[in-house]
């Protein structure tokens, strides 16, 4: 059966834990801040569930896990984290297995691609630039693109993605409750990645579909597009 005519014409992706495995570099930045405060460091596995709500939120959870902190302390350590991360963004970061093949397959079907992340826009753009991926995407929306308080789980970034890309049948792919809630609030079908930075079992995110790897993305989109 040919679903080309009804297939999604715009697919947006979260970045951290969805398109890219950024866990090693983000954990290193968190641990740099923790060490500077005399705190014990955390394993990558401990840090990954903290990722998704932006750097300050991630660090706040790291500080809470090692004894807590005041807002003033968090302000100072947040700056240290960002300074370190700016200098070490793409040391370990790389696309998930099969991600680039999936992007190629979507592009071959004429699907417009976008990135919507809670990472600061200029950080996200620099990472995509360094990995040679920027040209694949029609737009990039970061956590600060629309102003304070308008990142995911608000629907605003997803709605802006649609406005910028002109999609009539959009879908979104993410790995966190922020992604799922944002897409649902924007009335956009959403697929959750079980291999991402989950803070709960993927089945509890409430996504329309889940995938265990990028080889499952096209079939999942096919099924959703037929609904």
């Amino acid at each position: 059966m040919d679903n080309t005519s009804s297939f999604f014409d715009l697919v947006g992706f979260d970045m951290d834990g969805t398109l890219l495995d950024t866990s090693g570099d983000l954990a290193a930045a968190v641990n740099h801040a923790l060490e500077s405060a005399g705190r014990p460091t955390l394993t990558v596995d401990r840090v990954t569930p903290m990722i998704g709500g932006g750097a300050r939120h991630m660090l706040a959870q790291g500080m809470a896990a090692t004894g807590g902190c005041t807002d003033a302390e968090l302000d100072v350590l947040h700056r240290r984290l960002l300074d370190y991360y700016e200098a070490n963004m793409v040391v370990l970061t790389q696309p998930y297995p099969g991600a680039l093949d999936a992007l190629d397959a979507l592009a071959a079907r004429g699907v417009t691609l976008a990135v919507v992340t809670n990472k600061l826009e200029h950080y996200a753009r620099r990472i995509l630039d360094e990995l040679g991926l920027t040209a694949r995407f029609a737009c990039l929306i970061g956590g600060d693109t629309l102003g304070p308080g308008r990142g995911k789980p608000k629907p605003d970034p997803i709605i802006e993605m649609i406005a910028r890309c002109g999609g009539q049948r959009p879908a979104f792919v993410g790995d966190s409750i922020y992604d799922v809630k944002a897409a649902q609030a924007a009335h956009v079908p959403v697929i959750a990645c079980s291999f991402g930075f989950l803070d709960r079992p993927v089945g509890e995110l409430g996504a329309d579909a889940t995938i265990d790897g990028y080889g499952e993305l096209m079939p999942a989109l096919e099924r959703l597009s037929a609904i």
Side-chain angles (χ1 to χ4, degrees), residues 52-222:
R56 185 182 177 89
H57 176 75
M58 176 178 64
L59 179 59
Q61 292 182 85
M63 292 299 288
T66 56
C69 67
T70 66
D71 285 345
E73 289 172 322
L74 187 60
D75 288 340
V76 172
L77 295 175
H78 183 215
R79 185 67 260 167
R80 290 178 188 170
L81 181 154
L82 293 179
D83 288 344
Y84 180 90
Y85 190 58
E86 286 174 358
N88 301 276
M89 281 187 180
V90 194
V91 177
L92 300 172
T93 290
Q94 59 185 344
Y96 280 102
L100 300 187
D101 289 339
L103 295 180
D104 287 341
L106 287 167
R109 293 190 67 157
V111 177
T112 299
L113 305 175
V115 170
V116 179
T117 175
N118 274 346
K119 188 185 291 294
L120 295 174
E121 181 182 337
H122 69 284
Y123 286 177
R125 190 173 302 281
R126 179 175 156 194
I127 290 170
L128 292 176
D129 284 347
E130 291 195 25
L131 292 174
L133 300 177
T134 306
R136 290 175 176 266
F137 302 102
C139 80
L140 164 62
I141 298 170
D144 59 333
T145 301
L146 302 180
R150 296 185 65 191
K152 297 174 292 184
K154 292 283 184 66
D156 305 33
I158 307 292
I159 294 169
E160 181 68 13
M161 173 192 78
I162 297 167
R164 292 187 184 189
C165 296
Q168 299 300 309
R169 289 209 74 198
F172 195 72
V173 183
D175 70 302
S176 74
I177 193 65
Y178 304 105
D179 299 316
V180 173
K181 286 187 173 181
Q184 289 176 336
H187 307 291
V188 170
V190 58
I191 295 174
C193 304
S194 69
F195 50 83
F197 303 157
L198 304 176
D199 66 349
R200 68 200 72 190
V202 69
E204 295 180 9
L205 293 177
D208 297 294
T210 63
I211 59 172
D212 297 323
Y214 269 99
E216 299 176 12
L217 180 60
M218 291 298 286
L221 288 168
E222 290 279 9

Side-chain angles (χ1 to χ4, degrees), residues 8-86:
F8 298 108
D9 59 0
L10 167 61
V11 178
F13 293 85
D14 173 53
M15 177 181 281
D16 301 86
T18 299
L19 270 180
L20 306 179
D21 184 356
T22 55
S23 58
D25 291 331
L26 288 169
V30 170
N31 283 328
H32 173 78
L34 292 176
E35 283 186 308
S36 75
R39 301 295 180 87
T41 58
L42 302 173
T43 64
V44 174
D45 287 343
R46 285 285 303 281
V47 174
T48 51
M50 303 174 182
I51 301 168
R56 185 182 177 89
H57 176 75
M58 176 178 64
L59 179 59
Q61 292 182 85
M63 292 299 288
T66 56
C69 67
T70 66
D71 285 345
E73 289 172 322
L74 187 60
D75 288 340
V76 172
L77 295 175
H78 183 215
R79 185 67 260 167
R80 290 178 188 170
L81 181 154
L82 293 179
D83 288 344
Y84 180 90
Y85 190 58
E86 286 174 358

